[in-house]
Amino acid sequence: MIALRIQHKTIYRYRLPVWLGPHRLMLRPRESRDLRLISSTVTVTPAAIVNWAHDVSGNAVATATFQEPTDHLVIESVAELELDAPAWPVFDIAAAAASYPFDYLPDDRLDLGALRLQQYADPSGGLRDWARAFVRSDPTDTLSLLKDLSVGVAETIRYQSREDEGTQSPLETLERGWGSCRDFAVLFAEGARSLGFGARIVSGYLYNPEREREPATTHAWAEIFIPGAGWITFDPTNRSVGGFNLIPVAVACNIHQAVPVSGSFVGMTDAFLGMSVDVSVVEASSSVADSTPPR
């Protein structure tokens, strides 16, 4: 078990005062058997009315509404939690699903619904053909197939961090040969869906103790539903299986549904100056030590 402290600050700056529309905030980590949330606070400046609700996927969503014009917006989230996911998980996959292809039970097919449907057009079947290339035999081991598909994303696509909004389509990622973590996650999930699996996108944070002193970022990965084992985590960016160093915040069918901060403003077209995002994911003991003034 490891105790972590996550700080996530987003700052928007405007050339002159603007009216802010409602902002949708997905910043509270998802509690589970492997993640115990100790505390979570979200602070918004200027003052806002913040209402909380859960969306259809069970994510905690805050909506901030504003009463006065402003030339800046600061949204800061601080969460403390305990993460207890195993580094080398063993998955108890149902015998009927151990080999691919398999059929989901009728209830599972109904509940998975859109999570089994590709969210991006694949008119020529290029994505499906790419994913089918990882099916080594018929039948083949289900978990090995998904591991190969996840590693295949990292071997096919060159990682490149980018700050611009939006996500590439899977075909764009394959054609360009590069992408960010969210592009990796979408490509993997869509490839799995083309093979008939139920998949969902996950956004959150990555804890990397070797880079704890360096600026962190938000992260994206995917989960696949396998009968018996449930939702299995795959992080194609880091070629890993299981969530021992991942802190999920939101799960969704489409990645645009899991954006940490989204909103709008009304003002002059050139009013927007820019935004910055600062993320820190450290051991709770480290954050306490770092904040201690020198003697």
Side-chain angles (χ1 to χ4, degrees), residues 89-105:
V90 176
F91 303 107
D92 188 16
I93 297 175
S99 295
Y100 174 87
F102 65 88
D103 291 326
Y104 285 114
L105 294 174

Side-chain angles (χ1 to χ4, degrees), residues 166-263:
T167 303
Q168 297 173 171
S169 74
L171 290 179
E172 287 176 328
T173 300
L174 287 174
E175 291 170 0
R176 295 173 179 175
W178 58 267
S180 65
C181 64
R182 58 187 184 272
D183 303 315
F184 278 48
V186 168
L187 175 59
F188 171 74
E190 287 289 278
R193 286 166 177 164
S194 76
L195 299 176
F197 291 99
R200 62 187 186 185
I201 304 293
V202 189
S203 69
Y205 307 98
L206 169 71
Y207 172 62
N208 188 339
E210 296 179 359
R211 297 183 176 181
E212 188 170 306
R213 299 292 179 176
E214 300 177 13
T217 62
T218 56
H219 192 49
W221 59 96
E223 295 177 343
I224 308 296
F225 183 79
I226 306 296
W231 290 103
I232 298 180
T233 297
F234 293 87
D235 182 3
T237 303
N238 295 295
R239 307 187 185 200
S240 63
V241 181
F244 77 99
N245 64 340
L246 298 172
I247 302 96
V249 171
V251 300
C253 181
N254 195 300
I255 196 165
H256 79 266
Q257 299 170 301
V259 176
V261 178
S262 59

Side-chain angles (χ1 to χ4, degrees), residues 48-66:
I49 299 173
V50 179
N51 292 311
W52 287 89
H54 285 88
D55 66 10
V56 69
S57 297
N59 304 307
V61 181
T63 301
T65 55
F66 304 87

